[in-house]
Amino acid sequence: MPIRSLFYFWKEALKSIFHHGWMSIASIAVVAITLLILGSFMVINYNVAILTEDIKEQVQIVLYIDEGAGAEEVNELQALLISHPQMEEVRYVSKEEAMERLKDQLGERAFLLDGYEEEDKNPLRDSYELRTNIPEEVAVIAEEIENYPAVGYLDYGSGVVEPLFQFTGIVRWVGLAFMSGLALTAVFLIAHTIRLTVFIRRKEIMIMKYVGATDWFIRWPFIFEGLLLGLFGALIPVAIIYYAYEIAFLWMETNVYFVNLIPTEEIMAEIMQVLIPLGVVLGVLGSSISVRRFLKV
Amino acid sequence: MIEIYHLYKQYSKDVLALKDLNMVIDRGEFVFLVGASGAGKSTLLKLLLREISPTRGNIKIFGKDVTRLKKREVPLYRRNVGMVFQDCRLLEDRNVFENIAFALRVIGASPREIRKRVPFTLELVGLKNKVFKKPNELSGGEQQRVALARAIVNRPSLVIADEPTGNLDPETSMNIINLLQEINIRGTTVLVATHAKNIVDYYQKRVVVLEKGRLISDQERGVYFNAD
Ligand SMILES: Nc1ncnc2c1ncn2[C@@H]1O[C@H](COP(=O)(O)OP(=O)(O)OP(=O)(O)O)[C@@H](O)[C@H]1O
Ligand SMILES: [Mg+2]
């Protein structure tokens, strides 16, 4: 299509958006709310995904060896652990090594350990650090291992890891259902707005038909109107999420420093890639429905 | 120019608006289409404009069968046919210039063409001094002249008017018909559906009479036909 027609379509679309301000605002608002919720879920999901990735990479079970166990039993334990099908990593940590680590952790205050360093005074135990290849099943595996020989006791993040995985799963499904409903509402509202435009412009449309405007020439401004409504509806949540995330990021950085959030720019790039095309698609879908149903050309 | 063969239009089981209509209109003719209310005048004009399709029969205009035009061919066909209605159908929120420019813009005309054609056409219909008036600031006759300007701004070969003087007093009506006559003299074929007996009688053009969907009289230099 020629540039001047393109210019004409945009102008007509914009004019009509401003002409029925309230309907436009309602459509934009619903798109914005839908995408704001989607965007928020995405922000949370991405961060939780990174967080759980971290957890997955971390040691999941620490097995402290029973002090009374003989070398034979420990060897047997090691063989069992290594041959366990769900075991990703098995690492032996002697109590001397554990002491070294503790000293590193305490840094300047390592003097607190003075006197405990000699071998027979070391209060720490030899242990195995284990990583399974199914982090979600840590508890089950731990229960199994508990019956192995030479096991003193087990330490695993019981009560933390599984609920976290469960929670993200539920959030994902509820969010998806909720958003589908909202997206439908958005499409419906846009369709309704465009229908109103078609109605208000019926005389113009009639004249256009009489003087020989092509069907697509008549349709385009309405399609563009929907597209713009969707686009505006997407830009609002992008802006809101940007500012909210920036604030959350800074707050977390100063107050909850052990959790590393994804940097703002990185997450915004991800979110814009989804929200803006989605807004446009919702808008065009809504207007196409109306153009098809109410624009008899 | 216009050839109509065995044309029927049936709206519903008991509404047969046109029955076996046959006629030929040559290029450059000026024709009045008369008949009582409900005779089928508007139906015929709508068929000519391809707003509706006939139940049976053929219409050839510019050598093409209008009834067989594909949907996407209709707009291009209409660009060659100017249409004027009793109720003018102007856009109230736009001034005279914009109303006429609209007809060019929506068929993709260039701004240069619009700047050239619109003032020329306004001059032709005698509205040069009303360019920036809105329709509600114009008299009925002036409004109809704007509608006429819009119909001819794209230089169609055929102008169809459905009771263009229906809302006007006799003198203003004459002005409009005079304008149509002028357009006709410049080479455009003109077809006017009307009730106005005095006008038909005055101009002595070809008169085609419909009655209950049938063509009952077709006379050169005719007068308003009264069946009784
Ligand atoms: N869309 C329609 N559906 C059904 N019947 C119709 C329709 N349009 C017209 N008719 C009928 O067809 C017949 C011819 O109508 P038409 O409008 O062509 O008459 P007309 O000669 O233009 O009358 P008028 O002088 O009052 O404008 C009438 O009986 C009318 O009721
Ligand atoms: Mg009529």
Side-chain angles (χ1 to χ4, degrees), chain A residues 4 203 210 212 215 297, chain B residues 51 71 79 89-90 94 108:
Chain A
R4 65 167 170 275
K203 194 170 176 186
Y210 279 128
D215 291 353
V297 295
Chain B
E51 224 183 304
K71 202 170 170 294
R79 290 178 193 189
R89 305 191 181 176
L90 302 176
R94 301 177 203 212

Side-chain angles (χ1 to χ4, degrees), chain A residues 174-219:
Chain A
V174 171
L176 205 67
F178 198 51
M179 266 172 328
S180 311
L182 273 171
L184 262 171
T185 313
V187 169
F188 175 81
L189 259 180
I190 288 172
H192 193 76
T193 307
I194 304 298
R195 182 185 155 185
L196 191 76
T197 314
V198 171
F199 180 76
I200 287 172
R201 304 200 140 192
R202 61 197 184 284
K203 194 170 176 186
E204 236 170 278
I205 294 165
M206 179 183 69
I207 294 167
M208 284 167 102
K209 284 198 231 177
Y210 279 128
V211 300
T214 61
D215 291 353
W216 275 107
F217 194 95
I218 298 174
R219 286 182 196 132

Side-chain angles (χ1 to χ4, degrees), chain B:
Chain B
M1 178 82 163
I2 305 178
E3 299 164 62
I4 297 171
Y5 302 111
H6 304 294
L7 194 65
Y8 289 78
K9 178 64 188 180
Q10 185 152 20
Y11 281 113
S12 61
K13 214 175 114 235
D14 28 46
V15 183
L16 188 52
L18 290 177
K19 282 173 235 169
D20 196 22
L21 196 75
N22 292 281
M23 71 184 216
V24 175
I25 297 174
D26 288 327
R27 183 177 290 277
E29 271 196 281
F30 190 117
V31 179
F32 281 119
L33 183 63
V34 304
S37 184
K41 304 182 295 292
S42 297
T43 299
L44 177 57
L45 300 191
K46 281 179 190 163
L47 284 165
L48 293 180
L49 204 63
R50 185 53 147 79
E51 224 183 304
I52 54 176
S53 295
T55 312
R56 210 195 308 168
N58 299 91
I59 304 169
K60 270 172 101 176
I61 300 184
F62 317 129
K64 261 199 124 168
D65 192 339
V66 177
T67 60
R68 294 225 183 103
L69 285 178
K70 291 193 187 72
K71 202 170 170 294
R72 62 179 165 77
E73 293 174 319
V74 172
L76 292 174
Y77 161 70
R78 284 190 186 154
R79 290 178 193 189
N80 214 356
V81 182
M83 188 76 202
V84 180
F85 302 91
Q86 177 172 354
D87 57 355
C88 302
R89 305 191 181 176
L90 302 176
L91 298 169
E92 302 297 333
D93 57 340
R94 301 177 203 212
N95 66 31
V96 169
F97 186 97
E98 287 162 349
N99 260 285
I100 298 165
F102 181 76
L104 288 177
R105 192 167 295 130
V106 300
I107 59 170
S110 70
R112 226 180 97 234
E113 218 175 326
I114 292 171
R115 278 198 302 275
K116 205 179 78 188
R117 288 296 308 168
V118 176
F120 175 83
T121 312
L122 278 171
E123 167 117 53
L124 193 73
V125 300
L127 282 175
K128 236 176 67 182
N129 54 347
K130 307 272 171 162
V131 177
F132 299 113
K133 292 266 188 285
K134 294 269 173 71
N136 61 10
E137 299 169 293
L138 300 174
S139 72
E142 287 166 340
Q143 286 183 31
Q144 196 54 285
R145 276 190 273 166
V146 177
L148 192 55
R150 184 180 63 197
I152 62 169
V153 71
N154 191 34
R155 283 171 289 190
S157 339
L158 171 65
V159 168
I160 296 174
D162 196 355
E163 301 188 30
T165 63
N167 293 339
L168 306 176
D169 60 55
E171 198 185 330
T172 321
S173 298
M174 298 274 253
N175 284 335
I176 295 296
I177 302 297
N178 284 343
L179 260 176
L180 281 167
Q181 193 171 233
E182 219 168 287
I183 292 161
N184 174 242
I185 288 165
R186 288 162 182 262
T188 309
T189 309
V190 175
L191 177 57
V192 182
T194 184
H195 281 298
K197 181 181 187 315
N198 53 341
I199 284 185
V200 176
D201 290 349
Y202 176 84
Y203 283 90
Q204 307 255 311
K205 301 284 189 188
R206 178 176 169 191
V207 178
V208 173
V209 186
L210 293 185
E211 191 185 80
K212 291 178 184 150
R214 282 185 192 282
L215 194 156
I216 57 161
S217 158
D218 184 350
Q219 293 179 296
E220 294 296 327
R221 309 190 139 269
V223 291
Y224 197 90
F225 185 92
N226 213 331
D228 28 78

